[in-house]
Amino acid sequence: MKKLVNRISLFLFTLVFLFACSGCVTSVQPTDANSGSDSDSTDTSKSEISIGLSLPTQKEERWVKDRITMEAEAKALGVDLKVQVSEDDAVKQDSQCDYLISQGIDILILAPSDAKSSASIVDKAHKAGIKVISYDRLVMGTDVDVYLSFDNVKVGELQGEYITKLVPKGNYVVLAGSPSDNNATLFKKGAMKYIQPLADKGDIKIVLEDAITDWQPSEAMKKMQTALSANGNKIDAVLAPNDGTAGGCIQALAEQKLDGKIPITGQDSELQAAQRIVQGTQTMTIFKDTRELGKEAIKIAKKILNGEDLGATQTVNNEKIDVPSILLTPVVVDKNNIDDVLINSGYLKKDDVYKK
Ligand code: BGC
């Protein structure tokens, strides 16, 4: 009898507990989808539209600036912006986007960690009636709605043209970005337009050609160390795909006291790269004004939702469709124009760049 009474009280207690908690269930968020990296920039109750933003990383400074710009623009336009950062993890990005879709976003801005597998994110968004803007990086193999980026082949061309003009002959280390990022393919394609003909002529010898997983500076440093030791330090030029990987290579060069002696490219106009340019250890970088790109993304999202024309004047093929595209223009930066391009534009502060 005592046992029966105990069981009944346990049953009643469980019922009361479940009833009390039923109101909280919808607000519980998947832990891996959030991990401290999401935010709602504005008060949803006052916003007419809600935008989901899925970024691949905050590792490189540029992605931090993209996020800051978009949050500010969304706030200025009274738009609710829900941000998720996947930390270079495609599976995590997939579940974070499921979460954003479940939150009733009207549109998704997606910068994919993995160009190919993220096609399923676009498909799921479409099934939920949500359009997707492919941001900076192109989602491959799906009918993504619009691609907003820089002219990425041009980025590579600017790097390739610059380095081959400076070093038309000699031993080259040619590094590409992450194989999972379509931009890495486009940058390399652009750069090789200048490097390959000289390699075919025998003027340039490519002593190392490799790609860097997830754009890791530490991996770039190891590859550079290997190239230096395999060639008795006789390297004449380095094609580094971005500033992060350039930083890794420059560390390897510094170990051999060769920093500042071997021309090396970069991209992103990160503060540390700008400092290296004025100090003479990095030769150039590329300026892609992420403030413009970020603002444009929020504007385009609004235009799509209002059924307005996007002004997409070109298309880029993603192995499924020709995606309507808006591509901003990249600019070369070296010690000759750094003040003009990066400081006078307010992108970087003079005191920071010239800090000793
Ligand atoms: C971006 C670069 C960035 C790289 C690593 C590329 O997709 O276009 O600006 O340096 O990813 O995050």
Side-chain angles (χ1 to χ4, degrees):
M1 182 67 186
K2 202 169 171 208
K3 257 191 190 167
L4 185 66
V5 169
N6 277 348
R7 277 203 191 139
I8 290 172
S9 6
L10 182 68
F11 175 70
L12 287 175
F13 175 78
T14 313
L15 264 187
V16 169
F17 180 77
L18 283 178
F19 180 72
C21 270
S22 62
C24 355
V25 171
T26 49
S27 66
V28 173
Q29 298 164 351
T31 40
D32 72 333
N34 292 290
S35 61
S37 59
D38 70 326
S39 71
D40 294 353
S41 295
T42 53
D43 180 354
T44 333
S45 57
K46 288 185 209 136
S47 305
E48 282 170 32
I49 65 167
S50 173
I51 300 176
L53 170 63
S54 174
L55 292 174
T57 180
Q58 290 284 276
K59 201 175 60 200
E60 285 91 7
E61 191 177 288
R62 65 142 295 177
W63 294 110
V64 176
K65 291 194 177 184
D66 292 69
R67 178 181 180 162
I68 291 172
T69 303
M70 282 192 258
E71 284 177 338
E73 187 68 6
K75 198 166 189 179
L77 297 180
V79 167
D80 168 48
L81 185 71
K82 298 184 193 304
V83 187
Q84 296 278 317
V85 180
S86 69
E87 287 146 24
D88 292 322
D89 180 340
V91 175
K92 187 170 183 174
Q93 186 164 43
D94 190 81
S95 68
Q96 288 181 331
C97 288
D98 284 348
Y99 168 68
L100 287 173
I101 292 168
S102 78
Q103 292 300 292
I105 54 167
D106 300 299
I107 192 158
L108 177 64
I109 301 173
L110 171 63
S113 290
D114 185 298
K116 287 188 178 145
S117 69
S118 58
S120 67
I121 297 176
V122 176
D123 298 343
K124 284 189 273 183
H126 282 173
K127 271 196 193 118
I130 295 165
K131 293 204 164 141
V132 182
I133 300 170
S134 197
Y135 183 80
D136 191 73
R137 300 175 173 179
L138 186 57
V139 183
M140 303 298 285
T142 182
D143 50 350
V144 68
D145 299 280
V146 60
Y147 175 41
L148 170 65
S149 187
F150 293 87
D151 182 338
N152 293 310
V153 176
K154 183 81 190 163
V155 169
E157 286 172 359
L158 294 174
Q159 294 170 324
E161 184 180 20
Y162 192 101
I163 197 88
T164 52
K165 263 194 185 153
L166 203 59
V167 188
K169 287 181 182 189
N171 286 351
Y172 264 63
V173 168
V174 172
L175 297 178
S178 186
S180 61
D181 178 357
N182 184 61
N183 278 350
T185 311
L186 302 179
F187 301 147
K188 172 98 183 276
K189 182 177 166 193
M192 291 315 276
K193 283 191 191 169
Y194 289 86
I195 297 172
Q196 195 60 54
L198 296 172
D200 292 344
K201 259 178 44 179
D203 288 352
I204 283 176
K205 185 176 172 208
I206 301 175
V207 295
L208 175 72
E209 186 169 9
D210 215 337
I212 310 293
T213 315
D214 290 337
W215 302 86
Q216 293 286 344
S218 54
E219 190 176 317
M221 181 174 89
K222 281 188 204 130
K223 298 221 150 114
M224 192 67 219
Q225 286 167 333
T226 309
L228 285 163
S229 73
N231 293 280
N233 282 355
K234 284 196 188 65
I235 305 289
D236 300 296
V238 183
L239 178 84
N242 73 346
D243 290 340
T245 51
C249 293
I250 291 165
Q251 260 179 280
L253 292 172
E255 287 167 1
Q256 304 300 319
K257 306 215 171 355
L258 287 173
D259 51 327
K261 298 199 174 116
I262 298 175
I264 175 164
T265 60
Q267 163 184 198
D268 284 343
S269 295
E270 287 188 354
L271 175 59
Q272 284 191 10
Q275 291 169 338
R276 291 192 294 259
I277 288 175
V278 300
Q279 286 158 11
T281 55
Q282 183 171 326
T283 322
M284 60 88 78
T285 186
I286 302 286
F287 178 44
K288 302 189 298 186
D289 197 337
T290 48
R291 298 169 303 183
E292 289 305 312
L293 196 71
K295 271 192 203 155
E296 195 62 25
I298 302 295
K299 286 200 182 113
I300 287 179
K302 282 198 86 171
K303 280 188 187 169
I304 291 177
L305 292 170
N306 292 334
E308 289 168 35
D309 180 49
L310 304 185
T313 50
Q314 50 197 309
T315 59
V316 176
N317 190 276
N318 74 346
E319 291 169 4
K320 175 147 193 212
I321 59 161
D322 290 329
V323 186
S325 301
I326 298 162
L327 304 180
L328 310 186
T329 307
V331 177
V332 166
V333 178
D334 66 6
K335 61 179 184 322
N336 299 315
N337 66 353
I338 194 163
D339 286 12
D340 219 24
V341 181
L342 297 185
I343 295 168
N344 295 347
S345 68
Y347 198 72
L348 295 177
K349 291 198 181 76
K350 188 164 194 157
D351 287 353
D352 295 337
V353 172
Y354 288 92
K355 201 166 169 178
K356 289 277 176 223

